[in-house]
């Protein structure tokens, strides 16, 4: 009698489970990397806001201004004389404190297996958007004043200030540029937090 040998063509159980394990590991890696990106952006936001505050605080310059022939007086240019610069410093201080608090929350999220919770992610989106509006308005107001200081305004009779206070204007411009970078960083945080919140809510 001839014996029949049956050959199984199904893959081994280990080979069948390998793609499933790889996809699970990849998904876990992505979930763990999200708090890292969030933390990195918030640390960068803290650095730019702190440097912008320091540069603006040291933007002080005293010049000898000639009023009449043979008569000159000492005049000082500093940020506290310009309300929009005070507003910018206040906004940067709030952003700096906010980045410390949210950065600490991101560190705590890194220690949890589930990462940032949906509730915390929602609060990140809400407060990030609020801070973006504050920083954008403060940066815009300071930029308008800086532009007037550089170009002047012939319609109102305002002379160019930066031709006299060149060092003060240079530091103020550097602080405004850093504030703009901070605003862009907050915008990236809003987009990132919104994307993560969308993924968390659609996963349910």
């Amino acid at each position: 009698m001839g014996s029949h040998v049956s050959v199984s063509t199904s893959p081994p159980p280990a080979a069948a489970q390998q793609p499933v394990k790889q996809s699970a590991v990849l998904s876990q890696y992505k979930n763990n990397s999200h708090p890292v990106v969030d933390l990195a952006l918030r640390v960068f936001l803290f650095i730019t806001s702190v440097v912008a505050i320091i540069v603006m605080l040291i933007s002080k310059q005293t010049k000898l201004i000639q009023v009449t022939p043979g008569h000159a007086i000492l005049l000082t240019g500093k940020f506290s004389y310009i309300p929009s610069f005070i507003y910018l410093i206040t906004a940067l201080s709030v952003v700096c404190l906010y980045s410390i608090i949210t950065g600490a929350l991101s560190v705590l999220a890194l220690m949890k297996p589930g990462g940032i919770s949906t509730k915390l992610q929602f609060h990140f989106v809400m407060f990030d958007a609020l801070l973006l509006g504050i920083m954008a308005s403060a940066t815009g107001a300071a930029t308008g004043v800086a532009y007037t200081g550089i170009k002047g305004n012939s319609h109102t009779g305002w002379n160019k200030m930066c031709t006299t206070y060149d060092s003060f204007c240079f530091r103020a411009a550097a602080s405004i540029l850093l504030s703009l970078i901070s605003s862009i960083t907050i915008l990236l945080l809003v987009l990132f937090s919104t994307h993560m919140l969308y993924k968390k809510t659609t996963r349910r």
Side-chain angles (χ1 to χ4, degrees):
M1 294 177 63
S3 59
H4 296 280
V5 179
S6 60
V7 179
S8 176
T9 58
S10 60
Q17 294 176 1
Q18 186 174 2
V20 179
K21 290 182 178 179
Q22 288 179 350
S23 62
V25 171
L26 182 60
S27 176
Q28 184 179 3
Y29 172 76
K30 288 182 179 180
N31 291 333
N32 291 336
S33 65
H34 293 149
V36 175
V37 175
D38 184 86
L39 177 60
L41 287 173
R42 296 185 189 280
V43 169
F44 183 72
L45 176 63
F46 171 76
I47 294 173
T48 54
S49 58
V50 166
V51 175
I53 291 173
I54 294 174
V55 172
M56 183 62 80
L57 289 177
I58 63 174
S59 60
K60 179 181 177 181
Q61 186 179 10
T62 302
K63 297 282 288 189
L64 189 64
I65 307 298
Q66 187 173 359
V67 181
T68 57
H71 182 69
I73 58 175
L74 284 174
L75 292 177
T76 301
K78 57 189 302 186
F79 82 95
S80 59
Y81 296 159
I82 304 174
S84 60
F85 286 178
I86 298 175
Y87 176 36
L88 181 62
I89 287 291
T90 305
L92 286 168
S93 301
V94 173
V95 168
C96 183
L97 178 61
Y98 174 76
S99 63
I100 294 174
I101 297 173
T102 54
L105 293 175
S106 295
V107 170
L108 294 176
L110 280 172
M111 301 177 182
K112 297 180 180 179
I116 301 176
S117 64
T118 304
K119 183 178 180 180
L120 180 60
Q121 197 73 62
F122 173 76
H123 285 94
F124 276 177
V125 172
M126 184 173 60
F127 287 109
D128 287 348
L130 177 63
L131 263 293
L132 176 61
I134 294 174
M135 272 304 302
S137 63
T139 305
T143 303
V145 172
Y147 181 82
T148 305
I150 295 172
K151 297 294 185 179
N153 192 323
S154 58
H155 300 287
T156 58
W158 294 343
N159 297 324
K160 299 177 182 179
M161 188 183 72
C162 292
T163 54
T164 303
Y165 298 97
D166 51 349
S167 176
F168 167 74
C169 289
F170 176 78
R171 292 190 178 96
S175 179
I176 294 172
L177 178 60
L178 289 168
S179 301
L180 179 61
I181 295 174
S182 298
S183 300
I184 295 174
T185 305
I186 301 175
L187 175 61
L188 293 176
L189 279 169
V190 171
L191 295 175
F192 180 77
S193 299
T194 305
H195 174 69
M196 288 308 306
L197 182 62
Y198 172 78
K199 290 185 66 175
K200 286 179 178 294
T201 52
T202 55
R203 196 180 302 163
R204 292 181 174 183

